[in-house]
Amino acid sequence: LDGMFALVIFDEISGDWVAARDAFGIKPLFYSAKGEQVCIASEASVVAKYFQRPVCAQALTEWQLIRAPMPGYSFFQHVCEVDPGTSLNSDGLTVRFWEWLPSEQPFDQARFEETLRASVRSHEVGDVCNVSLVSGGLDSSVLTVLSSVERGYSVGIPGNNEFEGAREAADISKCELATVTLSGD
């Protein structure tokens, strides 16, 4: 599979299942087991509620330090996160199907740019018109410039926004930019 996903495939005849998460961990996937039962969901709170799992005090401490529980865990006791690029199955096997490996090839700027363009093109497939959320930062600016979007949005608050950088990216990509200023009201 290429792209972002979190999935569970269940065989109704055999009762076997497999769960997997995309290589970058873009889509979340959590699980917990109790006896022979396994609960898998895209939100840890759903799994916690199913098995009545309490909040994990250690995870709250981690959140204060790094704004997230440690990888592989959640905010609930005994509710685990499926690691990026990993699959689980009903036989109890965990398989890491994707990982970063050192490359033998030297860096090639042209190859990098074509790979990036191809990735952007593949993410533009859809049934509706694509738009861009342009923050003015490097990531959103590059994606906007490489995409075929005709309209972009930038959201900020008075005195704290990136409208100027967003306008630069929109001008380069020739897309219309709408800025949205949020207030306390």
Side-chain angles (χ1 to χ4, degrees):
L1 296 172
D2 181 22
M4 50 185 168
F5 62 88
L7 60 84
V8 177
I9 300 172
F10 178 71
D11 183 332
E12 290 184 353
I13 296 170
S14 70
D16 293 336
W17 56 267
V18 63
R21 188 172 179 205
D22 66 271
F24 290 100
I26 297 168
K27 296 296 182 182
L29 194 60
F30 297 91
Y31 70 97
S32 188
K34 192 173 192 179
E36 299 258 332
Q37 289 186 319
V38 176
C39 180
I40 304 169
S42 60
E43 292 185 32
S45 61
V46 171
V47 178
K49 185 173 183 178
Y50 184 80
F51 283 132
Q52 311 276 302
R53 303 289 194 200
V55 170
C56 176
Q58 179 67 36
L60 294 178
T61 301
E62 293 162 358
W63 180 83
Q64 290 175 327
L65 295 171
I66 59 172
R67 295 291 181 244
M70 294 301 290
Y73 297 92
S74 75
F75 287 110
F76 302 95
Q77 291 179 19
H78 308 294
V79 176
C80 300
E81 173 188 46
V82 176
D83 290 332
T86 301
S87 68
L88 312 172
N89 69 36
S90 51
D91 293 332
L93 296 175
T94 301
V95 177
R96 185 139 184 96
F97 62 84
W98 191 94
E99 60 186 288
W100 289 102
L101 296 173
S103 175
E104 300 284 327
Q105 298 177 338
F107 178 77
D108 180 331
Q109 183 69 31
R111 187 169 148 245
F112 169 76
E113 289 178 18
E114 181 47 40
T115 301
L116 187 57
R117 280 189 182 87
S119 177
V120 171
R121 279 193 306 271
S122 74
H123 284 87
E124 288 188 305
V125 176
D127 297 333
V128 296
C129 293
N130 292 308
V131 297
S132 184
L133 183 59
V134 191
S135 70
L138 180 63
D139 295 351
S140 69
S141 295
V142 168
L143 294 176
T144 300
V145 168
L146 294 179
S147 73
S148 62
V149 298
E150 295 177 5
R151 186 168 177 89
Y153 295 88
S154 187
V155 180
I157 59 175
N160 187 7
N161 58 63
E162 298 177 325
F163 294 162
E164 187 177 324
R167 278 192 191 91
E168 288 180 36
D171 288 347
I172 292 169
S173 64
K174 297 182 179 28
C175 82
E176 179 185 340
L177 180 69
T179 57
V180 178
T181 303
L182 301 177
S183 69
D185 296 333

